Amino acid sequence: MSELKLMKGNEALAEAAIRAGVDAYFGYPITPQSEVIEYLMTERPEERTGMVVLQAESEIAAINMVYGAASTGKKVMTSSSSPGISLKLEGISYLAGAELPAVIVNVVRGGPGLGTIQPSQADYFQSVKGGGHGDYKLYVLAPASVQEMSDFIEDAFDIAFKYRAPVLILSDGLIGQMMEKVQLKDQKERISNEELIKRHDSWAVTGKTNRERNIITSLDLQSEKMEARVHRLMKKYEQMEKEDLRFEKINCDDAEYLIVAYGSSARIAQKAVELAREKGIKAGLLRPITLFPYPKQELFKLADQVKGILSVELNAGQMVEDVKLSVEHKVPVEHFGRTGGIIHTPEEILEALEQKIINHERIRYSKTRESSIL
Amino acid sequence: MTEEIIIAGFGGQGVLSMGKILAYSGIMQNQEVSWMPSYGPEMRGGTANVTVILSDDRISSPYLKIFDTAIILNQQSMDKFEESVKPGGVLIYDPNGISHHPTRTDINIYQIEGTKLAAEMGNKKIFNMVILGGFLKVKPIVQLENVIEGLKKSLSERYHHLIPLNTEAISTGMNKITPFKVEKQVFS
């Protein structure tokens, strides 16, 4: 039986990394993510599993260490918070271009710029719309609990190696800093070098044996070859959409009004749904667990059932664009969210649902009736 | 059963660790728990608060606006959180350093002289355990043996010799908490 512990989200993620048999972590401290590297340093994973933990001289150095180590087929990761992720974006684009498996964790804080150290979800665009340059996407997992901070490490590496692509875990200061009960998985052994060669010799730089040399690069000056590479990436993303989309529906079966929220906002919105139900409002919650791929078809279907949709995010309105694209104007879609590190309360979300969607819907309805009388 | 609690006071009073012990006690009796601190610059010498939820069911929001119980340990927190108690809920406070006592009549208010009692017991650090004892008298949501198990889990082993002292502080708190009656304001 695995262990039950009370842990911060950041600590649970760090412990999960050791237990998942990760080979190396390269990072640089930044609030509200610093517990990840702090925990890894105190736990001395080099003694537990042989995992390398290294504090780089900067975020840029850390992501390039990830690039180098990932080239060898090892399980490697880094973590940071918003301004640090901005610094890493060049490296992330290179990882995507060179088709390397790696896990990047963003414990988001408020921005732009140095912003604030308080929780935020203002890095949605950066995470799902590229962020770095070029035609690439990241597979993005959005944990909403400390348990998921722990579980998603293994899931993220599975996806990263399945597609040979970088995977982003998009958390935030709230999930990173809060403590909850977490069921830790049993320790997995790190993959031996022999096993690694068996699995990844077709592409990784494992030391040339009796084969053609493997070259890891994102550069292709021959346009036809580069286009083929881009097509190969697009195929992977299509396959992700088909096979690895994840979402959760709460109280959606009879819902007349829908809230869409991910991560910490999903938790708070779930309470808003409970409060709405107590008032007799049939509200439901769709929680995208992956932000790319996005549950487009599910939203398209739900739009036939509900009268309006509220996108709740700790930002000035980012995911709401994807909600709108998904429902194709079938029903009104509005955004609600606090910024600057302020966290919306369940009561505020319910109020926004009533004012922006429910009352608004009544106004529209009465207007049409009025005009039909005239 | 779900109990939603805010514990608020100065940084250094043991607000966060008291919440952590409470959360661990909940885990010991198979409950779902969440512990959500205010973190950031306001923690240094300023106010610190933590939202703790214990529930038999999955917890939705770890971040709340209103609470079943508010445990208030300084004036700033009183100003901020007296209004955040649900009608019929509980407010527990240490009168030490409080100049404006609570005035609501739709909630149950209790006083506990945590600062004084801890000083009398000869160790100011057990202040938070005295307060926890008072809370558990009013809201016996976790068994005492589970609190002791929780203490064992949240304290590192080199402090385990302090567990009897902490247990004593909890019983002192349980014995010394008193209801506080809001006096009706007389207008003349």
Side-chain angles (χ1 to χ4, degrees), chain A residues 52-68:
Chain A
V52 172
V53 179
L54 196 142
Q55 180 177 333
E57 66 270 33
S58 72
E59 285 87 350
I60 296 169
I63 194 70
N64 285 296
M65 288 174 183
V66 167
Y67 185 100

Side-chain angles (χ1 to χ4, degrees), chain B residues 48-67:
Chain B
N49 69 68
V50 60
T51 302
V52 179
I53 306 173
L54 276 70
S55 179
D56 296 331
D57 307 309
R58 174 173 153 173
I59 295 166
S60 51
S61 180
Y63 183 78
L64 301 167
K65 189 183 166 193
I66 52 166
F67 305 90

Side-chain angles (χ1 to χ4, degrees), chain A residues 83-277:
Chain A
I85 296 291
S86 291
L87 288 167
K88 287 181 196 287
L89 281 174
E90 181 197 41
I92 293 172
S93 170
Y94 277 54
L95 281 165
E99 298 180 81
L100 290 174
V103 173
I104 301 128
V105 182
N106 185 0
V107 184
V108 181
R109 61 191 249 178
L114 273 182
T116 167
I117 60 173
Q118 306 297 335
S120 166
Q121 295 181 314
D123 295 358
Y124 179 87
F125 281 152
Q126 187 199 53
S127 310
V128 305
K129 310 281 177 194
H133 60 280
D135 269 320
Y136 82 93
K137 282 181 182 296
L138 295 171
Y139 184 88
V140 183
L141 278 161
S145 64
V146 174
Q147 185 64 53
E148 287 186 345
M149 285 290 265
S150 164
D151 294 345
F152 283 3
I153 281 286
E154 239 185 89
D155 297 352
F157 275 105
D158 287 348
I159 294 286
F161 278 92
K162 177 177 174 184
Y163 294 100
R164 262 175 65 201
V167 171
L168 180 74
I169 297 179
L170 186 68
S171 178
D172 65 51
L174 195 149
I175 302 291
Q177 294 293 327
M178 72 185 277
M179 282 204 266
E180 284 186 314
K181 186 162 83 174
V182 54
Q183 187 119 41
L184 295 166
K185 292 190 176 153
D186 294 333
Q187 179 67 54
K188 267 194 177 176
E189 270 190 51
R190 286 174 49 238
I191 295 167
S192 67
N193 282 341
E194 294 73 38
E195 179 65 25
L196 187 146
I197 288 170
K198 238 189 257 171
R199 288 191 200 178
H200 307 310
D201 201 39
S202 62
W203 62 271
V205 281
T206 52
K208 185 173 173 297
T209 42
N210 292 321
R211 58 159 166 79
E212 277 296 297
R213 60 182 182 157
N214 289 334
I215 299 170
I216 303 288
T217 179
S218 62
L219 177 76
D220 234 324
L221 292 175
Q222 276 178 274
S223 302
E224 290 75 16
K225 275 192 167 177
M226 190 60 210
E227 188 178 49
R229 182 191 296 252
V230 172
H231 285 165
R232 201 161 61 234
L233 294 183
M234 295 306 129
K235 270 219 172 100
K236 287 185 189 182
Y237 305 145
E238 271 172 34
Q239 195 189 343
M240 284 177 188
E241 295 201 273
K242 274 189 206 128
E243 295 174 16
D244 291 295
L245 168 71
R246 291 172 70 177
F247 58 86
E248 184 186 12
K249 289 199 287 184
I250 296 167
N251 288 347
C252 281
D253 290 345
D254 64 340
E256 291 178 357
Y257 301 99
L258 185 69
I259 296 176
V260 185
Y262 70 91
S264 55
S265 277
R267 294 287 296 274
I268 305 166
Q270 194 189 335
K271 181 89 181 180
V273 167
E274 289 165 18
L275 296 176
R277 294 257 163 188

